[in-house]
Structures are given as C-alpha cells and as structure tokens.
Amino acid sequence: MDWTIWVEWLIKSLFVVFALLTGFAYLTLYERRALAKIQVRIGPNRAGWQGLLQPVADAVKLIFKEELTPAKADKLVFFWAPIITMVPSIVIAAVIPFGPTTTLFGRTIVFSVANINVGVLFLMAVASIAVYGIVLAGWSSNNKYAMLGGLRSSAQMISYELSLGLGFVTAILLGNSMNLHDIVDAQRNVWFAVVQPVGALIFMIVTLAEVNRAPFDMPEAEQELTAGYHSEYSGMKFALFFMAEYQKMIAISMIAATLFFGGYREFWFLKDTFLSVDAIWNIGPWQFQAWFLGPIYMLLKVVVLLFFMIWIRATWPRIRYDRLMSFGWKVLLPLSLAVVFISAVGVLVAQQFDNNWYLAIIPIFSSVAGLVAVGFVDQALRRKSYASH
Amino acid sequence: MATPTTTATLDLAARFPGAVSADARPGYKGWIVEKDKLIEVATAIRDEFGYDHLTAVTGVDYLPEGKMEVVYHAFKTTGGPVLTFKVQVPRVDPVEVPSVTSIWPGAEFQEREAWDLLGVKFTNHPDLRRILLWEGFEGHPLRKDWKEAFYEEDAKPFKSRWPEGKHVMAEEKNPFKDNINFPKDFDPEQWVPEGEAALYGALARYQVQEGSLKTDHIVINMGPQHPSTHGVFRAAVTVDGETVVSLKPVMGYLHRNHDKIGERNTFLQNMPFTDRLDYFNSMSNNFGYAVAVEKLMNIQVAERAEYIRVIMAELSRIQNHLVFIGMLGNDLGMMYTPALYAFEERELILDIFEAVSGSRMMCNYYRFGGVVRDLPEGVLEKIKGLVFERLPVKADELDRMLTENEVFVARMKGVKVIDAENAIRYSITGPVLRAAGVPYDIRRADPYSIYDRFDFDIPTRPNGDLMDNYLLRLDEIRQSLRILQQAVKQIPEGPVMTGKPQYQVRVPAGESYGRVESPKGELAFYVVSNGKPNPFRYHVRPPSFVNITALEKMCVGTKIADFIAILGVIDIVLGELDR
C-alpha cells in the first residue's frame, strides 16, 4: 500500500467532516431564515451580512455556557450519551458517494471515504446506533421528561427502522447492488423516485421519524416533554445533540438523494450535455472529466430535500404518539412490504422478458397500493371522528 | 343601558316554610336558607326550579354582625336571571356549611377557595384543601379581622401617602425580613406538603399487577415551569406509559389575593386592577366590573359609551380567539406558524386599544357610567376597515390554513373534551360549554348592556371534541364581526359618560352580581358595598378558574399530548386563574 492512499483518505475524510460541520452550522441558519419566511417574520439577519455569522455567534455562546450535570444523574452515561449520538451522524456519511469515479493525477479516485460493497448495510447499522445515545441520555438524566423522551424515541426508532430498511431494500432491488456507487450509476437514465415513487415517499416519511423531525419529533416534543431527552443538557453537551440532529438531517437527505434521486448524477434533462458529470471538458490544453459537478448536484438535491423537512416542520402539528405507532406498524410497514414485493416482481418480469419497459409495472402497482393505504387511513380517521356521536 | 338582573319570581319561602326566608336587607336580594336545610333546598332548586348551573360560590365575612355568609348564584342554562341564595352561620370557628358538590360538582374549586380565603369549612366536600395559598399559611386572609404583613389601614388612600405623598417601603419597616406567620406547631423546615405526600409518597398505590407483570405508574409534574401550561399552572399527572391515569391541578403560584387588595382599594381604583386578571382581555374585565358597580349605583350608561363598550369588548373577543387559535396550534406542535399569523391581526386590534386608551394590554378604559374618553379621530374608520375588510378575510384564511390541515384534524377530531351534561354539572361556561352543544351565552341568556339590539347567533357545535372547540372559536370570531359591523354603523354621537368624571364614586349599600360573557366564559364580579368609598367585599368569579374544575374529568384516559391540547382548549389565563 503506498502512502498516497493515506493522503487521499485524509483529504476525503476532512472534506466530509468539514462539509457536515459547516453544513450543520449553516443548516441552522437556513432553517431559521426559511421558517421566518414561512411565518411572516424576518429571522436572524444581524450578525454579518444576511445573518451569515449567526452560526458563529451561536457556537461562541454555547461554548461559554455553563454545563450542568444533575446531582443524581449517572455521570458517566450522562457524559457519553451526546458523544454516542454525535459520532454516528458523522460516520454515516462515510459511504455516501459525492462524485463519479474519475482519474486524477494518474490515480483512480472514488469519491466516497469508504467504497464498500455493502454500503447500504453500513448505513442501516450506523443509523441504528444513534438511538442509543438518545435513550441513554434520557435514562441517565434522572428526569421524568427525559426518560419519557428516551422511551418514546426507542419505540419510535424500532418501529420506523423496519420501513426504513425496506426502503433500502427497494433501492437495492432496483439497483441490483448494495454498493452505493452502483446504485447511483443505475439511476443514470431514470431516478428510482420515478420508478418507485411510493417507495421514495415512504422513505422520506420514515427519514423524518428517523431524525426526530416534526411531525415525528416525539422524543423532544417541546409542548409535552419540555425538551425530552435533552432537558437536562446544557452548553456544549446540548450543542452536541443539536449538532447530531442537524447532521443526521443532512446525512439522511444525502442518503435519500443517493438512493432515490440520482445521487451526485446530473438531472435527467442535463444528460449527455456538457453539464453531465461524465462529460469531458476541453479548456485550452487541458482535458478533464466534469467530476466536480457531482458534489454540486448533490448539494442542490440535499438543499431541496432539507427544505421539505423545514417546510413540514413549519406547517404540521406533531402527531400523537399512539397514532404515530399505529401509522408505523399498521400502514407504513405493510405498505413497504407491498412496495418491496411489487418492485421485486417488476424487476423479475423485466429480466425475464429482457425489456426495461416492463419496469412500468412498478410505479403503476405501487401507486395503487399507496392509494389503498391512503384510503385506509382516511377511513380510520373518519371512523374516529364520528365515534363520538 | 345595563339591564338589571332581577331575582326570579319563584317563591322559595312559600315552598320551604321555616327553612327559607327572603333577604330583607336594603339593597340585597335573594333568599336566606337555613344551614341544615341547604342540601334539601339546593336539590329542589336544581331539580324543581331548573337552576342547573351553579356559577358562583363565595363567602362574605360580616364581622360587625358576627356572621359569615356563603352566597350561591344559580342560573338556568335556558336563560333567565339569577337566583341568589345564601347561608348564614355564626362567625365562630369552625364555621361549617354543608357542601353542595354532590348537587353541583362544579362548586368544588370555588368551595375550596372559600375555605382557603375565608375559612368556611364545607362538610362532605370531597377534597377540602387550600387551593390558592400554601399549606403553611396562617389564617384566612379574606376575613375582616385578618391583617396582612405591614398592614396600614383598612382602606385606601393610606394616610401615610397622602397628602404629602410620603411613602415608606414595606421592606424598610422590617430590616430582618421576618414577617411571616406560621400556624401553631408548624415548622417550615420539617413540613411535607399534605397534597404532595399523597402525590409522591404513596406511589406504591399506583402499582398495578397485570398478570405476572408488575408495572409502575409515574407521576409527572407538568408545570409550574412548562412551555404549554400557559403560565405557572401546574398539574401533577399520573401516567401509565402515555395515558393519563389521574390528574390534580395545583394553582396559586401567581396568587396575590386580588379580592383583598380590591377591598382596600376604592371603587374606581379597582378598575385598572381588573385589567390584570385576564391580561389578554382587559376590556372585557373592565366591562364586567363596570356592569357590577353600575348595578349597585343604579346609573344609566351614556348611549355612545354603550356602543364603544360593545365594540371594544367584541374586538377583545376577536383578538383573544385569534391568540387562542394560534396558541392551540403551538400546543399541538405547529412551531408558531399559526400563532404568528394570528398575532399579525391581533396587533392591529391592539393598535386600536392603544389609540383609545393609551395602552395595548392594560387598557383601564371603562368608567362607571361610560368610558374614560371618546374615540380619537380616525379610529372608527380604522375599526371599520378591520371589521368590514381585513378580519373576515383573515378569519377565512386561518380557517383554510388549519381546518384543511390533515394532521391538525387528525389530532383534534374525536378527542372528547366534555359532553353537554357534564359541562353543565361542572359549571363550565363560555366556548367550552357551547362547543359541547349548549347554546348558553350571557349576551343572549341574560342580556346586559345593549346586546339585545344586535342581530347575531350563538354558535354551538355538537360533539364537544377538540375540533369543535377550535371551530367554535372561528364561529365566534365571525359572529363578533357581525356585531361589530352593526355597532360601527349604528353608533350615535353624544357624550361618553353620564355625569361628570369623578375620582370618588358614591355607591349605595347593597350587593350586586354583574356578569359578562368574557371570551373565556362567564366573568362575574360580586360586589358588596356598605356605603363607604371602598367595597366591603369584592369577589371575582373568573371563567378559567371554574372551567378548570373539570380538568381531571376531561383528561383521565387521554394521552399526554391530548392533555396539553385540552388544557389549551380550556384557554386558561393564570392572571385570573390564580388572582
């Protein structure tokens, strides 16, 4: 193994960590400004031009805040919980590809920190670890609100991770690989969100639950549990939870973009133009592949997906806990199973007849399944509303 | 013109010879019931005469006569004037009166309040504890022989501050800050609160054995510092997982003994003091107090002032309901979006309050016989612009924004708050009662001021769930706009005050019960005068306080999230809940 591979890893890791950390900082600003626009306010615009220094000011404030540890808290767990939450949210980004494979300086560069063949499994494994941090934080705080938040969180994650896993399976089936690079490449012609719209929609709903965002922000639930699992945390320890939440938002948006929205690949209408990531640019004497467009497309998609999360937070109330559970188990899980089954059948039929047009089975049948599920939810709500008569 | 509430023509004395006699004191009305016959008479009042709604229970300490009097005000939910009946007992401890909670459960908290502040022991009361004051409090402060720390005089203006205006701070009189009296044998260091022991100490009794599985319930204190209890309200909630098993409201963290301060004040000094009750609706509070005292003084209100009063009260209702809807969204976790949309409109209404009274929230605008000053130039046009153009559109906008939000509807529909029967039994008034399907609104049931001149509906909703409570507020906004549209067209020119403005009013001896439909329910003032410049007794019957009586009944069996929403729907304000 020659030494340059270490340099390559180092640069790529630094890039990813830097992107996530600054991304987190500016995501908070993005969210606050976007929320303000939706809520007919202005939002933070004092620190720096258009509030661009606001994250810095926040960070300085949080660093200098006193950190309190409750007297009867379990000190060790209380200390480790934010770290356990924080680390997976960065590690998870390791396998996400943010550019096409290309040749630079005579080396073949793969634009992900770790190009492993079971990338999807890695995502699932790491995504599940974060819940430990939340549960431990809730338990170790010796606070009833925090404990309820932690309990809610664990139950919610377990319920929604099933559907999340089935969402991954859909992408694996369609991409015919567990390697994320292969999955992105398989979307060269058409995004999986088009082939499997219901699967993509379920995935996006479930990711909201996975990162504890409204309307599934049960573990925090300000109006019910004050601040849920991080009630007792302050200063940088709190900031770590905060950071983890927002980094998970970014990471999960990157995953959604990778699995269903073509990842780093160009938009469909730019295919085969000079703005494609495969295009070869000739500028003067240099000839090179436009690989640098990959991260840009990725960023655009992530920003749009993040906007949806913010938009939902601004407009929807929190779903009640028991409804959340029954929605996860009674609606999303059967529907995702149906979606996986339909996807498998579609892929199989297309392979048998060797004609990719048979893949059209998938969106048609899964849309029907989705509509049936919506019908059931509607029925259930209707029944509830007239039960009181 | 204030329509006087006349006593019903029913003759209790003839029905219960010997047990009931008419109250013959000048300026007093109603019936005096023998203590031993109270339950019998009260049952008859409810069942035979149809007074199903006991709105107010309070007491008066007649120290000179050596009597303690408990006053009950009962109404029919079908409308009509008040039935006042009283029980008089000698002023010797223990002062005991039978509790009427078995007949009207809604009396529970008010009887606890009377025990707390006046020391009237209600026998057979299910849970007679102090409610507003803490357990280590010495004495019963509303008794006339109780003196507060740094007591100066019985009535304001205190001589020490007048005419030279010298004022000695209470703290300077007592450099050691040692002015607290404790009951005999009471050690605050060793003290374990009675109620708390029941809540925390006896957790074992909440243990449940389900088959071989042993589970615990946990007690959570929602409040007094909590983002959704609308102030320093506290509820000790026992939960089984997410389900509320039992709930005890704890209040009094904002208590300042409004009633006692009101007795020290002159009649007019109480007017700005009422602003501090329900600080969202100072106009309605002023209205209630003005109605009560005008009834005692027996004066007419200037015609133009009546219109201005109605306009301000209805604007106040609209802005209260706007805040309600916005904050309800917040309680459900909507991240302030509806709240900010609602506040945008509310600010415009507060602009009008500021223009007429000089203050956005503490208006102090009404006076006995009118209002303090006429509408400034241009304000009427502003109001017209609001009620004809802006607010109807914005009400529809809020309606569309929330009523068509599926998750919002899913959270609200089918979550029962209370049904009509229980709402009446628990003395609930205002929107919560109407959302349960009872068309009871004081503006129609017992019209005051000039509400009988306007054409408007009393909206009701059939289900009594959260959704109905929310929709009812929207309906009420629209009805208030209807009233306003008529009022701003009909408002006549003329003086805004009968007689000349004065600092001191002469109030003849007597009692009066003045009530208005405040945005939160029945806001009533029970004022007793003995002809002096200060009220002898000044009692507030706040809607939040009485509506909260049924909170446990509403919440048991629901989820924690629903408890928050139900608390939001009752629309409590701690300024008037704790007084």
Side-chain angles (χ1 to χ4, degrees):
Chain A
M1 196 187 287
D2 79 271
W3 62 271
T4 48
I5 199 160
W6 294 96
V7 176
E8 187 192 326
W9 280 345
L10 199 64
I11 292 172
K12 285 195 292 198
S13 316
L14 280 178
F15 176 75
V16 167
V17 171
F18 183 75
L20 279 176
L21 287 179
T22 48
F24 143 71
Y26 281 92
L27 174 58
T28 58
L29 181 68
Y30 175 43
E31 173 170 42
R32 289 168 70 179
R33 291 304 297 256
L35 273 180
K37 274 276 177 295
I38 294 170
Q39 298 175 341
V40 291
R41 296 186 283 124
I42 296 167
N45 66 346
R46 294 287 101 182
W49 181 76
Q50 292 293 313
L52 278 180
L53 292 179
Q54 188 67 40
V56 182
D58 287 345
V60 170
K61 182 202 80 171
L62 279 170
I63 288 167
F64 284 101
K65 268 182 108 166
E66 185 184 0
E67 272 179 35
L68 291 170
T69 307
K72 292 195 177 163
D74 188 318
K75 303 275 186 318
L76 190 73
V77 182
F78 189 80
F79 175 79
W80 278 101
I83 299 169
I84 296 175
T85 319
M86 166 78 184
V87 169
S89 70
I90 293 183
V91 172
I92 200 169
V95 291
I96 298 168
F98 47 86
T101 310
T102 187
T103 313
L104 273 179
F105 314 115
R107 296 174 52 88
T108 307
I109 306 273
V110 180
F111 279 96
S112 61
V113 176
N115 181 18
I116 50 179
N117 285 330
V118 287
V120 177
L121 271 185
F122 176 86
L123 287 183
M124 280 194 66
V126 177
S128 320
I129 293 175
V131 70
Y132 286 99
I134 293 177
V135 174
L136 289 177
W139 174 76
S140 67
S141 300
N142 192 29
N143 175 322
K144 285 169 185 167
Y145 290 129
M147 194 178 75
L148 272 182
L151 287 177
R152 281 178 168 197
S153 166
S154 55
Q156 176 183 331
M157 294 267 187
I158 290 167
S159 314
Y160 279 72
E161 226 148 56
L162 291 169
S163 305
L164 186 77
L166 289 171
F168 282 130
V169 171
T170 316
I172 295 170
L173 277 172
L174 294 172
N176 201 17
S177 167
M178 285 178 98
N179 185 314
L180 287 163
H181 282 276
D182 294 348
I183 289 178
V184 173
D185 269 341
Q187 301 179 60
R188 187 182 291 264
N189 293 316
V190 58
W191 289 357
F192 288 167
V194 179
V195 183
Q196 184 47 282
V198 180
L201 206 63
I202 294 174
F203 190 83
M204 285 169 69
I205 293 172
V206 173
T207 51
L208 283 177
E210 191 66 19
V211 298
N212 298 328
R213 287 288 297 185
F216 303 119
D217 52 347
M218 294 298 136
E220 291 168 44
E222 194 204 336
Q223 281 75 22
E224 293 147 34
L225 304 179
T226 57
Y229 62 91
H230 57 63
S231 295
E232 296 289 355
Y233 282 89
S234 56
M236 267 325 268
K237 286 206 193 88
F238 164 74
L240 284 182
F241 278 120
F242 196 61
M243 225 184 232
E245 187 189 327
Y246 281 82
Q247 279 166 2
K248 270 195 287 181
M249 274 172 76
I250 299 175
I252 214 97
S253 298
M254 283 160 86
I255 294 169
T258 307
L259 293 182
F260 289 100
F261 298 95
Y264 56 81
R265 295 210 68 85
E266 67 282 353
F267 300 95
W268 68 94
F269 52 84
L270 296 174
K271 207 179 131 203
D272 296 332
T273 66
F274 73 102
L275 285 174
S276 161
V277 289
D278 294 330
I280 308 292
W281 285 17
N282 292 300
I283 297 177
W286 299 288
Q287 192 184 39
F288 54 91
Q289 192 188 349
W291 59 268
F292 47 84
L293 289 175
I296 295 174
Y297 289 136
M298 190 74 175
L299 180 71
L300 277 177
K301 287 168 185 173
V302 167
V303 166
V304 171
L305 287 173
L306 285 175
F307 179 73
F308 278 99
M309 287 191 178
I310 294 166
W311 191 5
I312 287 170
R313 183 176 186 205
T315 45
W316 276 2
R318 187 177 306 110
I319 293 175
R320 211 173 64 197
Y321 184 67
D322 56 325
R323 295 262 174 85
L324 172 98
M325 281 306 184
S326 58
F327 183 64
W329 287 100
K330 293 180 187 165
V331 180
L332 279 184
L333 185 60
L335 184 60
S336 343
L337 279 170
V339 158
V340 168
F341 177 73
I342 292 166
S343 308
V345 169
V347 169
L348 194 68
V349 169
Q351 270 176 9
Q352 284 292 318
F353 295 96
D354 203 15
N355 183 346
N356 271 349
W357 282 107
Y358 282 105
L359 285 177
I361 296 172
I362 299 173
I364 293 167
F365 279 90
S366 50
S367 301
V368 171
L371 286 176
V372 169
V374 170
F376 274 127
V377 174
D378 199 45
Q379 278 287 309
L381 285 181
R382 255 173 233 284
R383 237 191 352 261
K384 209 147 229 160
S385 63
Y386 293 112
S388 51
H389 277 292
Chain B
M1 189 186 83
T3 316
T5 310
T6 46
T7 305
T9 45
L10 66 97
D11 196 352
L12 276 180
R15 170 71 178 74
F16 294 101
V20 181
S21 55
D23 194 345
R25 290 169 289 180
Y28 286 76
K29 292 186 190 103
W31 308 92
I32 294 175
V33 181
E34 286 299 315
K35 180 179 128 187
D36 304 330
K37 298 281 184 178
L38 175 68
I39 296 299
E40 193 189 324
V41 175
T43 314
I45 286 172
R46 186 190 65 179
D47 296 340
E48 286 174 32
F49 302 106
Y51 285 84
D52 46 0
H53 204 252
L54 182 79
T55 57
V57 180
T58 186
V60 190
D61 177 17
Y62 288 101
L63 180 65
E65 288 94 343
K67 275 188 299 193
M68 192 74 90
E69 187 175 279
V70 180
V71 189
Y72 301 84
H73 292 93
F75 291 88
K76 293 176 181 171
T77 41
T78 47
V82 64
L83 173 76
T84 315
F85 57 101
K86 297 154 192 175
V87 176
Q88 289 186 338
V89 279
R91 205 180 166 287
V92 190
D93 275 325
V95 181
E96 278 184 340
V97 172
S99 163
V100 295
T101 43
S102 55
I103 301 159
W104 293 285
E108 186 184 338
F109 279 14
Q110 298 193 69
E111 286 187 346
R112 274 177 72 185
E113 187 200 319
W115 156 247
D116 192 0
L117 302 181
L118 276 153
V120 181
K121 205 161 202 147
F122 290 93
T123 47
N124 293 329
H125 187 282
D127 185 19
L128 196 67
R129 287 180 289 132
R130 284 191 182 273
I131 188 167
L132 294 171
L133 300 167
W134 73 303
E135 284 76 357
F137 193 87
E138 165 84 81
H140 300 284
L142 276 185
R143 290 192 173 186
K144 289 286 173 188
D145 52 3
W146 187 91
K147 304 276 188 269
E148 68 270 29
F150 311 119
Y151 166 81
E152 284 197 43
E153 280 171 69
D154 266 344
K156 282 179 188 169
F158 295 147
K159 290 195 182 64
S160 67
R161 311 190 193 165
W162 178 86
E164 292 88 11
K166 262 186 259 157
H167 178 50
V168 185
M169 301 289 281
E171 289 80 1
E172 286 161 24
K173 290 185 191 167
N174 186 347
F176 301 108
K177 314 271 192 302
D178 183 24
N179 63 336
I180 304 164
N181 294 325
F182 291 114
K184 222 181 275 171
D185 306 325
F186 184 87
D187 179 9
E189 302 294 323
Q190 299 297 318
W191 176 70
V192 179
E194 250 173 78
E196 320 273 309
L199 291 173
Y200 307 122
L203 269 182
R205 96 191 138 92
Y206 290 119
Q207 274 193 355
V208 192
Q209 192 90 31
E210 281 173 15
S212 59
L213 194 68
K214 204 171 162 194
T215 58
D216 264 354
H217 294 174
I218 57 172
V219 180
I220 308 178
N221 264 310
M222 294 279 192
Q225 271 83 35
H226 190 278
S228 318
T229 50
H230 296 243
V232 284
F233 180 74
R234 170 180 153 208
V237 191
T238 312
V239 290
D240 175 14
E242 290 272 327
T243 314
V244 177
V245 179
S246 85
L247 181 149
K248 285 272 175 254
V250 185
M251 57 200 93
Y253 293 93
L254 206 62
H255 183 61
R256 54 208 183 264
N257 215 336
H258 192 96
D259 292 12
K260 186 82 178 180
I261 301 172
E263 283 172 17
R264 299 266 189 266
N265 284 345
T266 64
F267 278 97
L268 193 60
Q269 276 175 338
N270 274 338
M271 187 61 87
F273 197 41
T274 60
D275 291 343
R276 277 79 181 162
L277 282 170
D278 174 0
Y279 39 77
F280 285 112
N281 299 296
S282 56
M283 290 289 189
S284 305
N285 300 342
N286 286 180
F287 205 170
Y289 182 58
V291 164
V293 177
E294 277 154 11
K295 230 184 259 176
L296 260 180
M297 293 165 72
N298 206 12
I299 53 169
Q300 297 280 317
V301 181
E303 186 72 5
R304 183 173 169 83
E306 287 279 31
Y307 277 91
I308 296 177
R309 282 180 173 196
V310 167
I311 290 172
M312 292 307 152
E314 293 307 313
L315 281 176
S316 180
R317 190 185 314 280
I318 292 174
Q319 62 90 12
N320 178 76
H321 287 353
L322 284 171
V323 174
F324 166 85
I325 291 169
M327 282 311 179
L328 180 65
N330 214 16
D331 283 344
L332 298 175
M334 279 180 107
M335 189 65 208
Y336 294 98
T337 310
L340 283 157
Y341 277 81
F343 270 58
E344 205 184 0
E345 308 314 310
R346 176 177 181 248
E347 289 301 308
L348 297 173
I349 294 174
L350 293 190
D351 282 347
I352 291 170
F353 289 172
E354 189 178 9
V356 298
S357 72
S359 175
R360 296 173 81 78
M361 287 180 81
M362 304 291 132
C363 295
N364 182 21
Y365 185 53
Y366 292 33
R367 291 291 178 275
F368 309 124
V371 294
V372 66
R373 61 184 80 81
D374 204 350
L375 299 177
E377 217 172 298
V379 166
L380 203 58
E381 281 62 46
K382 248 189 181 173
I383 299 175
K384 277 181 183 161
L386 270 183
V387 301
F388 283 106
E389 281 150 34
R390 179 148 183 147
L391 289 176
V393 179
K394 290 291 173 180
D396 291 347
E397 189 185 293
L398 262 183
D399 193 359
R400 275 206 313 282
M401 182 166 118
L402 294 175
T403 319
E404 292 171 18
N405 184 326
E406 283 83 1
V407 182
F408 184 79
V409 175
R411 274 297 300 274
M412 307 277 284
K413 255 196 179 161
V415 181
K416 196 88 182 168
V417 177
I418 199 159
D419 55 36
E421 195 188 326
N422 278 317
I424 294 171
R425 288 178 61 227
Y426 278 93
S427 305
I428 287 171
T429 47
V432 183
L433 179 67
R434 291 192 285 277
V438 184
Y440 180 71
D441 187 315
I442 299 165
R443 291 174 295 175
R444 268 287 153 73
D446 184 13
Y448 54 96
S449 187
I450 50 164
Y451 277 107
D452 45 358
R453 298 184 200 170
F454 299 114
D455 178 27
F456 66 101
D457 298 326
I458 303 301
T460 58
R461 291 270 166 178
N463 298 324
D465 58 2
L466 292 175
M467 191 69 190
D468 278 4
N469 272 282
Y470 149 74
L471 288 171
L472 188 97
R473 258 64 171 213
L474 274 175
D475 295 344
E476 289 203 347
I477 289 180
R478 297 196 172 111
Q479 294 303 328
S480 288
L481 285 172
R482 264 177 81 185
I483 299 176
L484 280 168
Q485 284 165 358
Q486 295 164 47
V488 292
K489 272 187 200 155
Q490 295 169 9
I491 184 168
E493 291 298 319
V496 290
M497 184 102 175
T498 37
K500 60 176 197 302
Q502 48 196 350
Y503 294 113
Q504 192 80 279
V505 288
R506 220 177 292 278
V507 181
E511 60 162 8
S512 91
Y513 184 75
R515 56 182 198 147
V516 294
E517 183 71 28
S518 100
K520 293 182 166 64
E522 172 178 336
L523 174 70
F525 289 82
Y526 176 68
V527 183
V528 178
S529 164
N530 56 358
K532 296 216 176 94
N534 307 69
F536 183 74
R537 177 85 173 89
Y538 162 82
H539 172 71
V540 189
R541 186 256 185 224
S544 302
F545 179 71
V546 184
N547 287 358
I548 217 84
T549 313
L551 187 66
E552 178 165 16
K553 183 150 191 62
M554 292 171 183
C555 292
V556 168
T558 59
K559 302 279 183 281
I560 293 180
D562 289 336
F563 156 65
I564 297 294
I566 289 173
L567 193 65
V569 149
I570 301 174
D571 199 7
I572 57 169
V573 135
L574 268 290
E576 77 176 3
L577 188 88
D578 282 350
R579 275 161 299 141

